[in-house]
């Protein structure tokens, strides 16, 4: 018995001969973090994220039907116009994982062309936007074959496939806020795919800003995949998974009520807990840099002095995401340029905000 029979494509006939599909999918930033997973790519706890707007991957999938199906997947990969062989193994294993759900994959020769709107090696995770963009293109091809699939089913299966590429990628298809992982207080939530936050979001979060300070653009010493793995047998794992579930319950109410003080408390605590899990793993590791801590202290000082609702979050790296209401945009940008840019590598930062998810171009 297959794990998710509802996502297996029906028997297919009439495969299109050739064509090209182009789409774009954004990155996302988790408010309650996914850290720890079970096979295959199922989260230990539910997570919730803001979908971003500016940080995106643009992917084209050119497909050409083969006369006979190939034994292995037949694809070329171009990143910013040039062949990129070190990305191929990740796509190869993605194809292996999703083949049972997209049985036509070996019938085609594919060329995947991809590029990001954010600077290469900025330390911004491109796996979320990259895997969701590729899953989106593949599902647009499936739609040409399986025309009966409804828009809702299409979206669900796209998220399901993206998850098999990279867990957090399943949260990049819709916006402005998505939840991945089964949670008793979020109706329709599932470990297998992400859903759009199913409640009206308070206007305080409209156009919520995310300015990403690029603290360290170097290659991380420990990948997310290894970090997730270290949650197996981690002494605080069970407490952490429970805490994440409780934080999601709190955040659900906050997103509806607009209570920004509680938002700040949950979001910053989640960021620090994520890094605390890394520091208490065996082997232990630290992804923050001295400038990450300097920025955090500056944010706290600024908030104390001004009463601002600016807060920070972190992903699995040294960069700092600064989250703040649209109404504070001018003041916070002044603060960033006068006091925080000095902590950024080459003075680089990216202004992003909450966005709506993947789209066909
Ligand atoms: C810290 O989704 O990158 O950003 O499933 O192994 O590809 P894999 O990991 P990934 O992990 C992201 C972890 C995080 C928190 C989050 O986005 O929820």
């Amino acid at each position: 018995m297959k794990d998710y029979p509802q996502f297996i494509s029906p028997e297919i006939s009439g495969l299109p001969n050739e064509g090209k599909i182009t789409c774009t999918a954004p990155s996302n930033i988790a408010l309650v973090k996914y850290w720890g997973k079970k096979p295959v790519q199922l989260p230990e706890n539910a997570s919730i994220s803001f979908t971003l707007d500016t940080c995106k991957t643009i992917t084209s999938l050119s497909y050409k039907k083969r006369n006979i199906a190939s034994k292995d997947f037949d694809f070329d990969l171009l990143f910013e116009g040039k062949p990129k062989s070190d990305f191929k193994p990740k796509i190869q294993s993605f194809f292996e994982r999703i083949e049972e759900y997209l049985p036509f994959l070996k019938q085609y020769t594919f060329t995947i062309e991809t590029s990001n709107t954010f600077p290469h090696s900025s330390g911004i995770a491109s796996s979320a936007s990259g895997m969701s963009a590729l899953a989106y293109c593949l599902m647009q091809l499936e739609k040409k074959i399986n025309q009966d699939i409804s828009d809702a089913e299409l979206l669900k299966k796209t998220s399901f496939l993206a998850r098999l590429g990279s867990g957090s990628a399943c949260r990049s298809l819709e916006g402005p806020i998505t939840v991945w992982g089964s949670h008793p207080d979020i109706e329709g939530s599932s470990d297998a795919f992400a859903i759009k936050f199913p409640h009206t979001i308070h206007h305080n979060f409209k156009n919520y800003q995310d300015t990403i300070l690029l603290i360290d653009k170097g290659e991380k010493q420990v990948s997310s995949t290894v970090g997730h793995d270290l949650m197996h047998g981690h002494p605080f794992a069970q407490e952490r998974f429970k805490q994440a579930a409780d934080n999601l319950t709190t955040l659900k109410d906050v997103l509806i009520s607009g209570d920004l003080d509680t938002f700040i408390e949950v979001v910053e605590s989640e960021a620090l807990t994520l890094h605390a899990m890394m520091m208490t793993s065996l082997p232990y590791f630290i992804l923050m840099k001295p400038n990450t801590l300097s920025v955090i202290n500056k944010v706290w000082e600024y908030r104390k002095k001004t009463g601002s609702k600016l807060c920070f979050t972190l992903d699995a790296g040294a960069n700092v995401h600064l989250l703040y209401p649209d109404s504070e945009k001018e003041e916070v940008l002044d603060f960033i340029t006068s006091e925080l840019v000095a902590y950024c590598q080459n003075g680089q930062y990216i202004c992003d905000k909450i966005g709506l998810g993947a789209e066909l171009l």
Side-chain angles (χ1 to χ4, degrees), residues 34-314:
Y34 147 59
W35 198 245
K37 61 178 164 182
K38 308 172 262 204
V40 176
Q41 295 280 100
L42 296 169
E44 290 279 9
N45 63 262
S47 56
I48 184 165
S49 52
F50 280 160
T51 304
L52 296 184
D53 183 54
T54 310
C55 289
K56 286 183 178 167
T57 296
I58 301 139
T59 297
S60 294
L61 179 76
S62 305
Y63 54 93
K64 194 163 193 270
K65 194 163 169 291
R66 299 171 53 93
N67 292 331
I68 35 168
S70 64
K71 281 218 181 63
D72 203 356
F73 303 107
D74 178 9
F75 68 98
D76 276 324
L77 185 77
L78 300 176
F79 178 68
E80 288 174 353
K82 296 191 197 85
K84 185 88 178 156
S85 54
D86 44 334
F87 282 4
K88 279 191 96 175
K90 194 142 196 205
I91 305 228
Q92 170 74 26
S93 56
F94 176 52
F95 279 169
E96 283 164 14
R97 278 190 189 161
I98 63 173
E99 188 190 5
E100 64 178 300
Y101 304 104
L102 297 179
F104 54 82
L105 287 180
K106 285 185 179 152
Q107 312 267 5
Y108 282 102
T109 298
F110 292 115
T111 304
I112 303 161
E113 292 167 81
T114 179
S115 60
N116 295 330
T117 56
F118 42 90
H120 182 47
S121 76
S122 55
I124 294 183
S126 58
S127 67
S129 54
M131 285 298 173
S132 54
L134 182 54
Y136 195 93
C137 285
L138 289 167
M139 281 307 294
Q140 292 299 313
L141 176 56
E142 154 133 358
K143 194 178 162 189
K144 290 183 194 292
I145 300 162
N146 172 13
Q147 281 158 5
D148 292 340
I149 189 165
S150 68
D151 288 347
E153 283 304 309
L154 188 90
L155 207 53
K156 207 185 260 189
K157 183 168 170 183
T158 310
S159 174
F160 172 84
L161 296 178
R163 183 200 100 227
L164 292 168
S166 177
S168 55
C170 74
R171 296 188 313 238
S172 272
L173 294 152
E174 289 182 275
I177 298 177
T178 62
V179 178
W180 169 40
S182 167
H183 189 286
D185 295 338
I186 306 282
E187 211 188 314
S189 59
S190 165
D191 283 352
F193 49 83
I195 60 164
K196 196 166 148 172
F197 181 67
H199 300 278
T200 304
I201 300 160
H202 193 276
H203 60 78
N204 280 353
F205 295 102
K206 192 163 186 265
N207 279 332
Y208 222 72
Q209 302 289 308
D210 179 5
T211 300
I212 309 162
L213 305 183
L214 305 181
I215 303 289
D216 186 73
K217 303 190 289 167
E219 186 84 9
K220 289 189 285 196
Q221 314 102 301
V222 181
S223 71
S224 291
T225 305
V226 171
H228 285 291
D229 233 26
L230 292 172
M231 289 303 281
H232 292 293
H234 189 293
F236 308 137
Q238 294 315 315
E239 269 308 304
R240 160 61 197 152
F241 302 144
K242 193 174 157 304
Q243 176 202 41
D246 292 345
N247 280 342
L248 186 39
T249 299
T250 307
L251 211 52
K252 172 190 163 183
D253 294 344
V254 161
L255 292 169
I256 296 168
S257 70
D259 172 359
L260 291 178
D261 292 321
T262 309
F263 178 79
I264 293 170
E265 191 174 279
V266 172
V267 167
E268 293 191 345
S269 164
E270 274 289 317
L272 295 178
T273 302
L274 169 71
H275 285 259
M277 290 299 112
M278 301 175 189
M279 290 187 227
T280 47
S281 295
L282 264 183
Y284 40 80
F285 59 105
I286 301 181
L287 296 183
M288 289 190 281
K289 296 283 179 196
N291 282 355
T292 312
L293 293 179
S294 299
V295 167
I296 291 174
N297 281 303
K298 282 274 178 190
V299 167
W300 287 341
E301 258 171 44
Y302 177 77
R303 212 161 59 216
K304 203 161 169 199
K305 203 165 70 191
T306 63
S308 159
K309 303 298 180 197
L310 170 68
C311 73
F312 71 86
T313 188
L314 308 167

